[in-house]
Amino acid sequence: MYNKIMEANHKRESNIKVAIFLNVLFTIIELIGGIWTNSLTIMSDALHDFGDSVTLTTAWIAEKTAQKKPDTRRTFGYQRISLFSALLSAIVLVTGSLFILSRAVPRLMNPEHVNVTGMALLAIIGITFNGIAVLRLKKGQDLNERVLTWHMLEDVLGWCVILTGSIIMFFWDNHLIDPIMTVGFTLFILWGVVKNLKETINIFLQGVPSHININHIRDSLLSYEGIKRIHDVHVWSLEGETDVFTGHIVVDDSLLKSPDETRRIIKNELNKHHIEHSTIELESEGFCSGIECND
């Protein structure tokens, strides 16, 4: 299992490095382009991308640290460090989005002229740069990559909005469209990042991951002949990808005669539910050692 985790970590690190390079490069392009076009959306996104670059760098450092082997102090390893990066990413994204809103709302009252041709050109470049980053990150399973994907997806959607707005303003000279679209896509991104932030907090609290239904696990295990009861079940995730199960399984005496085979059957069933690491305690019907025994 450790080799599998390490392979996934190396892939995540490579994806994040590409995203960092593209984000830093395009932040510089945006700063120049924002001054050239006088577009609030582009200037705000340049500032936001600068925050993304800082966050992406933090995520890359976290992914490298997560590759350290388990030791006597961190027996599960260091994968959970990526959660801190996911949390920081979400906070930066929310803060940046609120800043964009604070700048866009006043322009609803007092629109300013922008260079729509320059906006369209920058939008096409922005969609290309950030689209490459999304394609590299979108297959990621852990929360870190998912939150970072939202960072990149925000920019892709933002540039699509800018491109659409610049085309409309080219034919209809109404520069109120710029702040209206800015407010719209920023609220959409806030909705997406809040969902990821909620799941990040859930994993910090060792809650059951959203992609796992603990009742389905119970039902599937109890469907096996000889398994009588399940108690003291705990399911959590290290970083949103590596899921852990512990539980006491009450079985009849026939299954206790071959405990290794019984555990193998149970572990195979748990693998179907995306649980790669499990600790199983087999018990006879007349014995109970868990906390729930007194319930």
Side-chain angles (χ1 to χ4, degrees), residues 23 45 54 67 82 92 98 130 134 177 188 215 229 233 237 241 245 261 263-264:
N23 214 71
D45 199 59
V54 174
Q67 294 176 24
S82 64
V92 170
L98 293 177
N130 291 283
V134 169
I177 294 172
F188 173 75
N215 290 323
R229 191 163 62 90
V233 172
S237 180
E241 181 178 4
F245 170 97
E261 177 62 19
R263 290 191 187 92
R264 185 188 64 79

Side-chain angles (χ1 to χ4, degrees), residues 221 224-228 249-263 265-266 282-283:
L221 292 177
Y224 282 91
E225 184 177 356
I227 295 181
K228 303 297 184 180
I249 314 294
V250 180
V251 299
D252 61 28
D253 292 341
S254 63
L255 293 182
L256 287 176
K257 293 178 181 178
S258 53
D260 290 340
E261 177 62 19
T262 301
R263 290 191 187 92
I265 293 173
I266 295 173
L282 300 178
E283 296 178 348

Side-chain angles (χ1 to χ4, degrees), residues 3 45 61 181 195 231 252:
N3 289 335
D45 199 59
I61 295 172
M181 290 191 170
K195 288 200 309 180
H231 64 94
D252 61 28

Side-chain angles (χ1 to χ4, degrees), residues 33 36 44 80 82 88 97 99 114 135 215 224 244 276 279 288:
W36 172 44
S44 299
R80 186 163 265 226
S82 64
L88 176 62
S97 296
F99 175 79
V114 295
L135 291 175
N215 290 323
Y224 282 91
V244 182
E276 301 171 345
T279 302
C288 185

Side-chain angles (χ1 to χ4, degrees), residues 33-49:
I35 296 172
W36 172 44
T37 62
N38 191 37
S39 170
L40 171 64
T41 305
I42 294 176
M43 289 295 291
S44 299
D45 199 59
L47 177 62
H48 201 183
D49 273 359

Side-chain angles (χ1 to χ4, degrees), residues 102-118:
S102 71
R103 296 294 302 275
V105 171
R107 280 209 180 184
L108 292 172
M109 309 301 177
N110 299 290
E112 296 183 12
H113 179 81
V114 295
N115 183 338
V116 295
T117 303

Side-chain angles (χ1 to χ4, degrees), residues 5 7 12 63 67 95 100 103 110 142 145 165 179 195 198-199 203-204 212 232 239 247-248 269 282 289-290 295:
I5 292 173
E7 181 180 351
R12 286 196 293 269
E63 291 296 342
Q67 294 176 24
T95 303
I100 290 175
R103 296 294 302 275
N110 299 290
D142 78 335
E145 286 181 290
K195 288 200 309 180
K198 181 179 178 181
E199 179 64 6
I203 291 181
F204 265 120
I212 290 180
D232 287 277
E239 82 291 48
H248 295 228
E269 184 61 34
L282 300 178
S289 62
D295 291 350

Side-chain angles (χ1 to χ4, degrees), residues 64-123:
K64 289 183 68 67
T65 305
Q67 294 176 24
K68 294 174 62 176
K69 294 181 179 180
D71 53 39
T72 55
R73 286 182 58 82
R74 302 288 184 268
T75 56
F76 273 108
Y78 290 80
Q79 299 100 292
R80 186 163 265 226
I81 287 179
S82 64
L83 282 178
F84 289 99
S85 178
L87 182 61
L88 176 62
S89 297
I91 292 173
V92 170
L93 190 55
V94 169
T95 303
S97 296
L98 293 177
F99 175 79
I100 290 175
L101 289 175
S102 71
R103 296 294 302 275
V105 171
R107 280 209 180 184
L108 292 172
M109 309 301 177
N110 299 290
E112 296 183 12
H113 179 81
V114 295
N115 183 338
V116 295
T117 303
M119 285 180 63
L121 178 61
L122 285 169

